[in-house]
Amino acid sequence: MSKLLLLEDDLSLINGLSFAFQKAGHELDIARTLREAEALWQEGKYDLLVLDVSLPDGSGFEFCKKVRQTSQVPIIFLTASDTETSIIMGLDIGGDDYITKPFKLAVLMSRINAILRRSQHFKQTPGELSSNGITLQLLEGRAYKSGAPLELTAAEYKLLRFFMEQPDIILSTEQIMGKLWDCDGNFVDSNTLAVYIRRLRAKIEDDPTKPTRIVTVRRMGYKWSAGGGAE
């Protein structure tokens, strides 16, 4: 059984989601304000957070930023705003998915289950990945560059791990998105992936303008260069 935290102030939506989550076998805590969410977060451990963006006392983005200071728990945003700026902001501050209202309940449940499966897979895989000066401690979900810790969002960490698990293999954008976003999120397109890669390069490359780790292969996609050296 997975334990979820729902931060949402719409009572009708809370009732519907509560029924669906519990029917799916998830344990659920509910907060209607940032203050309530912060209190619950301090008291409990969660496998996934579902956060509304617009709240009576602030924003779900604010709560996400606080959570990301200490945890890589998966986070899904729920919001009525479907602007590209809002979506990118939510993903860049550490969100794993972004769903606009109104949405189909089956789609939300599919995304939750997909993220929980990936998260559980990462938790269960022992060991360490090390390549081209970058090291991932898989059990702890931590990343290092030449021994120095990297501050990565959950999505950036998953993307980096996906690359490092397939060194020197050219991966198309479709392959990458299909692996990381195996649900029906229409907003996940090549432009969004390019934003992730650009921000990840800024953190792991010695010179992001001349990447030697995540290398672009023209007209084909990207690859993780295990030994360094640009294309």
Side-chain angles (χ1 to χ4, degrees), residues 131-135 144-146 150 160 163-164 167-168 197 200-201 203-208 210-216 222-231:
S131 175
N132 201 354
I134 304 297
T135 298
Y144 299 84
K145 177 182 177 182
S146 301
L150 291 167
L160 178 57
F163 275 122
M164 291 181 66
D168 297 316
I197 290 176
L200 183 55
R201 280 173 168 166
K203 296 180 180 181
I204 69 171
E205 298 286 357
D206 299 326
D207 182 356
K210 298 178 181 179
T212 60
R213 293 182 171 92
I214 299 177
V215 179
T216 300
Y222 303 90
K223 76 172 183 178
W224 176 261
S225 180
E231 289 289 300

mmCIF file of all heavy atoms in Angstrom, residues 131-135 144-146 150 160 163-164 167-168 197 200-201 203-208 210-216 222-231:
data_model
loop_
_atom_site.group_PDB
_atom_site.id
_atom_site.type_symbol
_atom_site.label_atom_id
_atom_site.label_comp_id
_atom_site.label_asym_id
_atom_site.label_seq_id
_atom_site.Cartn_x
_atom_site.Cartn_y
_atom_site.Cartn_z
ATOM 1 N N SER A 131 30.135 7.002 -14.116
ATOM 2 C CA SER A 131 30.575 7.127 -15.498
ATOM 3 C C SER A 131 30.938 8.570 -15.800
ATOM 4 O O SER A 131 30.191 9.486 -15.446
ATOM 5 C CB SER A 131 29.461 6.646 -16.440
ATOM 6 O OG SER A 131 29.804 6.846 -17.788
ATOM 7 N N ASN A 132 32.078 8.778 -16.431
ATOM 8 C CA ASN A 132 32.478 10.093 -16.916
ATOM 9 C C ASN A 132 32.417 11.168 -15.826
ATOM 10 O O ASN A 132 31.955 12.280 -16.045
ATOM 11 C CB ASN A 132 31.600 10.493 -18.102
ATOM 12 C CG ASN A 132 32.239 11.570 -18.982
ATOM 13 O OD1 ASN A 132 33.296 12.108 -18.652
ATOM 14 N ND2 ASN A 132 31.601 11.884 -20.095
ATOM 15 N N GLY A 133 32.895 10.806 -14.636
ATOM 16 C CA GLY A 133 32.966 11.767 -13.539
ATOM 17 C C GLY A 133 31.678 11.955 -12.765
ATOM 18 O O GLY A 133 31.647 12.711 -11.793
ATOM 19 N N ILE A 134 30.591 11.283 -13.170
ATOM 20 C CA ILE A 134 29.301 11.386 -12.485
ATOM 21 C C ILE A 134 28.998 10.074 -11.775
ATOM 22 O O ILE A 134 29.171 9.000 -12.352
ATOM 23 C CB ILE A 134 28.163 11.706 -13.473
ATOM 24 C CG1 ILE A 134 28.468 12.985 -14.249
ATOM 25 C CG2 ILE A 134 26.829 11.823 -12.727
ATOM 26 C CD1 ILE A 134 28.560 14.238 -13.396
ATOM 27 N N THR A 135 28.555 10.162 -10.534
ATOM 28 C CA THR A 135 28.210 8.973 -9.754
ATOM 29 C C THR A 135 26.791 9.113 -9.221
ATOM 30 O O THR A 135 26.416 10.173 -8.705
ATOM 31 C CB THR A 135 29.175 8.784 -8.573
ATOM 32 O OG1 THR A 135 30.500 8.589 -9.075
ATOM 33 C CG2 THR A 135 28.779 7.576 -7.735
ATOM 34 N N TYR A 144 26.497 12.791 -7.769
ATOM 35 C CA TYR A 144 27.732 13.505 -7.479
ATOM 36 C C TYR A 144 28.523 13.729 -8.763
ATOM 37 O O TYR A 144 28.516 12.893 -9.670
ATOM 38 C CB TYR A 144 28.601 12.702 -6.495
ATOM 39 C CG TYR A 144 27.952 12.451 -5.161
ATOM 40 C CD1 TYR A 144 27.083 11.371 -4.986
ATOM 41 C CD2 TYR A 144 28.178 13.291 -4.082
ATOM 42 C CE1 TYR A 144 26.473 11.140 -3.754
ATOM 43 C CE2 TYR A 144 27.578 13.059 -2.847
ATOM 44 C CZ TYR A 144 26.726 11.986 -2.692
ATOM 45 O OH TYR A 144 26.121 11.765 -1.484
ATOM 46 N N LYS A 145 29.206 14.854 -8.795
ATOM 47 C CA LYS A 145 30.128 15.155 -9.882
ATOM 48 C C LYS A 145 31.517 15.317 -9.289
ATOM 49 O O LYS A 145 31.742 16.227 -8.486
ATOM 50 C CB LYS A 145 29.725 16.427 -10.627
ATOM 51 C CG LYS A 145 30.695 16.822 -11.734
ATOM 52 C CD LYS A 145 30.273 18.127 -12.404
ATOM 53 C CE LYS A 145 31.297 18.533 -13.454
ATOM 54 N NZ LYS A 145 30.938 19.839 -14.088
ATOM 55 N N SER A 146 32.413 14.413 -9.652
ATOM 56 C CA SER A 146 33.779 14.421 -9.111
ATOM 57 C C SER A 146 33.774 14.492 -7.595
ATOM 58 O O SER A 146 34.569 15.205 -6.977
ATOM 59 C CB SER A 146 34.567 15.588 -9.702
ATOM 60 O OG SER A 146 34.616 15.490 -11.117
ATOM 61 N N LEU A 150 25.418 16.942 -6.384
ATOM 62 C CA LEU A 150 24.657 17.696 -7.369
ATOM 63 C C LEU A 150 23.245 17.924 -6.841
ATOM 64 O O LEU A 150 22.610 17.003 -6.323
ATOM 65 C CB LEU A 150 24.587 16.932 -8.696
ATOM 66 C CG LEU A 150 25.882 16.799 -9.494
ATOM 67 C CD1 LEU A 150 25.711 15.755 -10.598
ATOM 68 C CD2 LEU A 150 26.285 18.138 -10.083
ATOM 69 N N LEU A 160 18.883 11.643 -15.797
ATOM 70 C CA LEU A 160 20.313 11.331 -15.752
ATOM 71 C C LEU A 160 20.534 9.841 -15.577
ATOM 72 O O LEU A 160 21.390 9.244 -16.250
ATOM 73 C CB LEU A 160 20.964 12.103 -14.598
ATOM 74 C CG LEU A 160 22.457 11.862 -14.376
ATOM 75 C CD1 LEU A 160 23.270 12.176 -15.623
ATOM 76 C CD2 LEU A 160 22.954 12.687 -13.188
ATOM 77 N N PHE A 163 19.928 7.944 -18.856
ATOM 78 C CA PHE A 163 21.070 8.067 -19.761
ATOM 79 C C PHE A 163 22.223 7.170 -19.322
ATOM 80 O O PHE A 163 22.808 6.429 -20.119
ATOM 81 C CB PHE A 163 21.553 9.515 -19.824
ATOM 82 C CG PHE A 163 20.826 10.378 -20.819
ATOM 83 C CD1 PHE A 163 20.177 11.527 -20.413
ATOM 84 C CD2 PHE A 163 20.810 10.049 -22.166
ATOM 85 C CE1 PHE A 163 19.506 12.329 -21.331
ATOM 86 C CE2 PHE A 163 20.139 10.837 -23.096
ATOM 87 C CZ PHE A 163 19.495 11.985 -22.678
ATOM 88 N N MET A 164 22.571 7.227 -18.036
ATOM 89 C CA MET A 164 23.750 6.507 -17.556
ATOM 90 C C MET A 164 23.580 4.996 -17.583
ATOM 91 O O MET A 164 24.560 4.257 -17.655
ATOM 92 C CB MET A 164 24.099 6.985 -16.142
ATOM 93 C CG MET A 164 24.618 8.415 -16.098
ATOM 94 S SD MET A 164 25.059 8.972 -14.431
ATOM 95 C CE MET A 164 26.464 7.877 -14.084
ATOM 96 N N PRO A 167 24.880 3.635 -21.563
ATOM 97 C CA PRO A 167 26.015 4.431 -22.045
ATOM 98 C C PRO A 167 26.321 4.187 -23.515
ATOM 99 O O PRO A 167 26.236 3.056 -24.014
ATOM 100 C CB PRO A 167 27.166 3.952 -21.157
ATOM 101 C CG PRO A 167 26.777 2.564 -20.744
ATOM 102 C CD PRO A 167 25.284 2.611 -20.585
ATOM 103 N N ASP A 168 26.647 5.286 -24.200
ATOM 104 C CA ASP A 168 27.094 5.255 -25.601
ATOM 105 C C ASP A 168 26.052 4.671 -26.553
ATOM 106 O O ASP A 168 26.392 4.189 -27.640
ATOM 107 C CB ASP A 168 28.419 4.487 -25.736
ATOM 108 C CG ASP A 168 29.550 5.167 -24.977
ATOM 109 O OD1 ASP A 168 29.667 6.398 -25.072
ATOM 110 O OD2 ASP A 168 30.303 4.462 -24.277
ATOM 111 N N ILE A 197 16.957 18.689 -20.557
ATOM 112 C CA ILE A 197 18.336 18.383 -20.918
ATOM 113 C C ILE A 197 19.221 19.611 -20.772
ATOM 114 O O ILE A 197 20.354 19.529 -20.277
ATOM 115 C CB ILE A 197 18.396 17.806 -22.347
ATOM 116 C CG1 ILE A 197 17.776 16.401 -22.346
ATOM 117 C CG2 ILE A 197 19.836 17.769 -22.868
ATOM 118 C CD1 ILE A 197 17.686 15.753 -23.703
ATOM 119 N N LEU A 200 19.804 20.091 -17.065
ATOM 120 C CA LEU A 200 20.666 19.035 -16.544
ATOM 121 C C LEU A 200 22.108 19.252 -16.982
ATOM 122 O O LEU A 200 23.045 19.096 -16.187
ATOM 123 C CB LEU A 200 20.160 17.669 -17.020
ATOM 124 C CG LEU A 200 20.906 16.442 -16.497
ATOM 125 C CD1 LEU A 200 20.946 16.427 -14.969
ATOM 126 C CD2 LEU A 200 20.253 15.160 -17.024
ATOM 127 N N ARG A 201 22.293 19.643 -18.236
ATOM 128 C CA ARG A 201 23.647 19.936 -18.708
ATOM 129 C C ARG A 201 24.284 21.065 -17.913
ATOM 130 O O ARG A 201 25.487 21.036 -17.632
ATOM 131 C CB ARG A 201 23.601 20.313 -20.196
ATOM 132 C CG ARG A 201 23.522 19.129 -21.146
ATOM 133 C CD ARG A 201 23.302 19.595 -22.562
ATOM 134 N NE ARG A 201 23.500 18.513 -23.525
ATOM 135 C CZ ARG A 201 23.117 18.581 -24.800
ATOM 136 N NH1 ARG A 201 22.503 19.681 -25.255
ATOM 137 N NH2 ARG A 201 23.337 17.572 -25.609
ATOM 138 N N LYS A 203 24.099 21.598 -14.944
ATOM 139 C CA LYS A 203 24.540 21.115 -13.636
ATOM 140 C C LYS A 203 25.659 20.078 -13.717
ATOM 141 O O LYS A 203 26.455 19.963 -12.773
ATOM 142 C CB LYS A 203 23.334 20.518 -12.884
ATOM 143 C CG LYS A 203 22.265 21.545 -12.568
ATOM 144 C CD LYS A 203 21.099 20.912 -11.826
ATOM 145 C CE LYS A 203 20.030 21.967 -11.511
ATOM 146 N NZ LYS A 203 18.888 21.405 -10.760
ATOM 147 N N ILE A 204 25.724 19.331 -14.816
ATOM 148 C CA ILE A 204 26.697 18.236 -14.853
ATOM 149 C C ILE A 204 27.855 18.455 -15.820
ATOM 150 O O ILE A 204 28.893 17.799 -15.699
ATOM 151 C CB ILE A 204 26.012 16.893 -15.216
ATOM 152 C CG1 ILE A 204 25.527 16.897 -16.661
ATOM 153 C CG2 ILE A 204 24.874 16.586 -14.243
ATOM 154 C CD1 ILE A 204 25.050 15.537 -17.154
ATOM 155 N N GLU A 205 27.706 19.371 -16.771
ATOM 156 C CA GLU A 205 28.763 19.578 -17.763
ATOM 157 C C GLU A 205 29.793 20.600 -17.268
ATOM 158 O O GLU A 205 29.457 21.548 -16.566
ATOM 159 C CB GLU A 205 28.173 20.062 -19.088
ATOM 160 C CG GLU A 205 27.200 19.097 -19.755
ATOM 161 C CD GLU A 205 27.901 17.896 -20.389
ATOM 162 O OE1 GLU A 205 29.163 17.838 -20.363
ATOM 163 O OE2 GLU A 205 27.183 17.032 -20.915
ATOM 164 N N ASP A 206 31.047 20.404 -17.655
ATOM 165 C CA ASP A 206 32.076 21.396 -17.353
ATOM 166 C C ASP A 206 31.819 22.681 -18.137
ATOM 167 O O ASP A 206 32.002 23.784 -17.624
ATOM 168 C CB ASP A 206 33.462 20.835 -17.697
ATOM 169 C CG ASP A 206 33.789 19.597 -16.881
ATOM 170 O OD1 ASP A 206 33.362 19.519 -15.705
ATOM 171 O OD2 ASP A 206 34.458 18.690 -17.416
ATOM 172 N N ASP A 207 31.390 22.531 -19.386
ATOM 173 C CA ASP A 207 31.010 23.655 -20.241
ATOM 174 C C ASP A 207 29.710 23.275 -20.931
ATOM 175 O O ASP A 207 29.726 22.530 -21.919
ATOM 176 C CB ASP A 207 32.099 23.949 -21.269
ATOM 177 C CG ASP A 207 31.749 25.150 -22.162
ATOM 178 O OD1 ASP A 207 30.637 25.698 -22.015
ATOM 179 O OD2 ASP A 207 32.593 25.528 -22.998
ATOM 180 N N PRO A 208 28.560 23.749 -20.420
ATOM 181 C CA PRO A 208 27.265 23.356 -20.996
ATOM 182 C C PRO A 208 27.115 23.684 -22.475
ATOM 183 O O PRO A 208 26.303 23.056 -23.159
ATOM 184 C CB PRO A 208 26.261 24.148 -20.153
ATOM 185 C CG PRO A 208 26.966 24.408 -18.869
ATOM 186 C CD PRO A 208 28.402 24.614 -19.245
ATOM 187 N N LYS A 210 29.398 23.173 -24.630
ATOM 188 C CA LYS A 210 30.132 22.121 -25.336
ATOM 189 C C LYS A 210 30.030 20.829 -24.524
ATOM 190 O O LYS A 210 31.005 20.378 -23.914
ATOM 191 C CB LYS A 210 31.596 22.525 -25.530
ATOM 192 C CG LYS A 210 31.778 23.775 -26.380
ATOM 193 C CD LYS A 210 33.259 24.145 -26.500
ATOM 194 C CE LYS A 210 33.439 25.404 -27.340
ATOM 195 N NZ LYS A 210 34.877 25.798 -27.438
ATOM 196 N N PRO A 211 28.851 20.240 -24.493
ATOM 197 C CA PRO A 211 28.626 19.069 -23.626
ATOM 198 C C PRO A 211 29.460 17.860 -24.036
ATOM 199 O O PRO A 211 29.616 17.567 -25.223
ATOM 200 C CB PRO A 211 27.128 18.792 -23.800
ATOM 201 C CG PRO A 211 26.772 19.394 -25.117
ATOM 202 C CD PRO A 211 27.643 20.596 -25.265
ATOM 203 N N THR A 212 30.005 17.187 -23.041
ATOM 204 C CA THR A 212 30.785 15.967 -23.277
ATOM 205 C C THR A 212 30.187 14.759 -22.566
ATOM 206 O O THR A 212 30.741 13.665 -22.630
ATOM 207 C CB THR A 212 32.232 16.156 -22.793
ATOM 208 O OG1 THR A 212 32.234 16.440 -21.390
ATOM 209 C CG2 THR A 212 32.918 17.281 -23.551
ATOM 210 N N ARG A 213 29.080 14.951 -21.875
ATOM 211 C CA ARG A 213 28.417 13.841 -21.189
ATOM 212 C C ARG A 213 27.090 13.496 -21.883
ATOM 213 O O ARG A 213 26.929 12.410 -22.413
ATOM 214 C CB ARG A 213 28.219 14.187 -19.708
ATOM 215 C CG ARG A 213 29.548 14.297 -18.944
ATOM 216 C CD ARG A 213 29.344 14.584 -17.461
ATOM 217 N NE ARG A 213 30.598 14.476 -16.724
ATOM 218 C CZ ARG A 213 31.429 15.501 -16.490
ATOM 219 N NH1 ARG A 213 31.118 16.721 -16.932
ATOM 220 N NH2 ARG A 213 32.540 15.309 -15.805
ATOM 221 N N ILE A 214 26.148 14.428 -21.873
ATOM 222 C CA ILE A 214 24.923 14.238 -22.647
ATOM 223 C C ILE A 214 25.149 14.888 -24.007
ATOM 224 O O ILE A 214 25.122 16.115 -24.133
ATOM 225 C CB ILE A 214 23.706 14.852 -21.939
ATOM 226 C CG1 ILE A 214 23.488 14.189 -20.584
ATOM 227 C CG2 ILE A 214 22.450 14.682 -22.804
ATOM 228 C CD1 ILE A 214 22.349 14.790 -19.785
ATOM 229 N N VAL A 215 25.363 14.065 -24.988
ATOM 230 C CA VAL A 215 25.769 14.546 -26.308
ATOM 231 C C VAL A 215 24.588 14.494 -27.271
ATOM 232 O O VAL A 215 23.840 13.508 -27.313
ATOM 233 C CB VAL A 215 26.935 13.684 -26.859
ATOM 234 C CG1 VAL A 215 27.345 14.156 -28.247
ATOM 235 C CG2 VAL A 215 28.125 13.736 -25.905
ATOM 236 N N THR A 216 24.414 15.558 -28.038
ATOM 237 C CA THR A 216 23.393 15.578 -29.081
ATOM 238 C C THR A 216 23.923 14.894 -30.334
ATOM 239 O O THR A 216 25.018 15.202 -30.804
ATOM 240 C CB THR A 216 23.001 17.025 -29.435
ATOM 241 O OG1 THR A 216 22.478 17.661 -28.266
ATOM 242 C CG2 THR A 216 21.940 17.049 -30.528
ATOM 243 N N TYR A 222 19.944 11.758 -28.516
ATOM 244 C CA TYR A 222 20.985 12.048 -27.536
ATOM 245 C C TYR A 222 21.643 10.743 -27.109
ATOM 246 O O TYR A 222 21.088 9.659 -27.274
ATOM 247 C CB TYR A 222 20.402 12.717 -26.286
ATOM 248 C CG TYR A 222 19.631 13.988 -26.548
ATOM 249 C CD1 TYR A 222 18.254 13.957 -26.795
ATOM 250 C CD2 TYR A 222 20.256 15.232 -26.526
ATOM 251 C CE1 TYR A 222 17.534 15.124 -27.018
ATOM 252 C CE2 TYR A 222 19.547 16.404 -26.741
ATOM 253 C CZ TYR A 222 18.188 16.333 -26.989
ATOM 254 O OH TYR A 222 17.479 17.486 -27.209
ATOM 255 N N LYS A 223 22.833 10.863 -26.508
ATOM 256 C CA LYS A 223 23.458 9.692 -25.895
ATOM 257 C C LYS A 223 24.318 10.126 -24.722
ATOM 258 O O LYS A 223 24.785 11.264 -24.650
ATOM 259 C CB LYS A 223 24.289 8.906 -26.905
ATOM 260 C CG LYS A 223 25.636 9.529 -27.262
ATOM 261 C CD LYS A 223 26.464 8.580 -28.118
ATOM 262 C CE LYS A 223 27.850 9.177 -28.408
ATOM 263 N NZ LYS A 223 28.681 8.250 -29.194
ATOM 264 N N TRP A 224 24.496 9.199 -23.786
ATOM 265 C CA TRP A 224 25.410 9.411 -22.666
ATOM 266 C C TRP A 224 26.791 8.930 -23.085
ATOM 267 O O TRP A 224 26.984 7.760 -23.408
ATOM 268 C CB TRP A 224 24.950 8.644 -21.433
ATOM 269 C CG TRP A 224 25.922 8.770 -20.293
ATOM 270 C CD1 TRP A 224 26.877 7.875 -19.918
ATOM 271 C CD2 TRP A 224 26.049 9.893 -19.405
ATOM 272 N NE1 TRP A 224 27.593 8.345 -18.853
ATOM 273 C CE2 TRP A 224 27.095 9.582 -18.511
ATOM 274 C CE3 TRP A 224 25.367 11.092 -19.283
ATOM 275 C CZ2 TRP A 224 27.494 10.457 -17.491
ATOM 276 C CZ3 TRP A 224 25.755 11.965 -18.278
ATOM 277 C CH2 TRP A 224 26.802 11.643 -17.401
ATOM 278 N N SER A 225 27.740 9.851 -23.115
ATOM 279 C CA SER A 225 29.112 9.514 -23.495
ATOM 280 C C SER A 225 29.870 9.064 -22.255
ATOM 281 O O SER A 225 30.211 9.875 -21.396
ATOM 282 C CB SER A 225 29.803 10.729 -24.132
ATOM 283 O OG SER A 225 31.121 10.421 -24.499
ATOM 284 N N ALA A 226 30.113 7.778 -22.135
ATOM 285 C CA ALA A 226 30.724 7.226 -20.933
ATOM 286 C C ALA A 226 32.160 7.675 -20.733
ATOM 287 O O ALA A 226 32.628 7.797 -19.600
ATOM 288 C CB ALA A 226 30.665 5.691 -20.982
ATOM 289 N N GLY A 227 32.845 7.960 -21.848
ATOM 290 C CA GLY A 227 34.241 8.326 -21.727
ATOM 291 C C GLY A 227 34.537 9.782 -21.980
ATOM 292 O O GLY A 227 35.686 10.214 -21.938
ATOM 293 N N GLY A 228 33.498 10.567 -22.308
ATOM 294 C CA GLY A 228 33.691 11.988 -22.611
ATOM 295 C C GLY A 228 33.991 12.194 -24.069
ATOM 296 O O GLY A 228 34.182 11.243 -24.837
ATOM 297 N N GLY A 229 34.005 13.458 -24.466
ATOM 298 C CA GLY A 229 34.280 13.784 -25.862
ATOM 299 C C GLY A 229 33.015 14.120 -26.619
ATOM 300 O O GLY A 229 32.098 13.325 -26.694
ATOM 301 N N ALA A 230 32.940 15.330 -27.180
ATOM 302 C CA ALA A 230 31.749 15.765 -27.905
ATOM 303 C C ALA A 230 31.719 15.129 -29.281
ATOM 304 O O ALA A 230 32.717 14.687 -29.818
ATOM 305 C CB ALA A 230 31.763 17.292 -28.024
ATOM 306 N N GLU A 231 30.517 15.109 -29.825
ATOM 307 C CA GLU A 231 30.352 14.582 -31.175
ATOM 308 C C GLU A 231 30.907 15.541 -32.209
ATOM 309 O O GLU A 231 30.748 16.750 -32.061
ATOM 310 C CB GLU A 231 28.858 14.377 -31.453
ATOM 311 C CG GLU A 231 28.277 13.224 -30.683
ATOM 312 C CD GLU A 231 28.727 11.875 -31.161
ATOM 313 O OE1 GLU A 231 28.480 11.551 -32.354
ATOM 314 O OE2 GLU A 231 29.353 11.158 -30.400
#
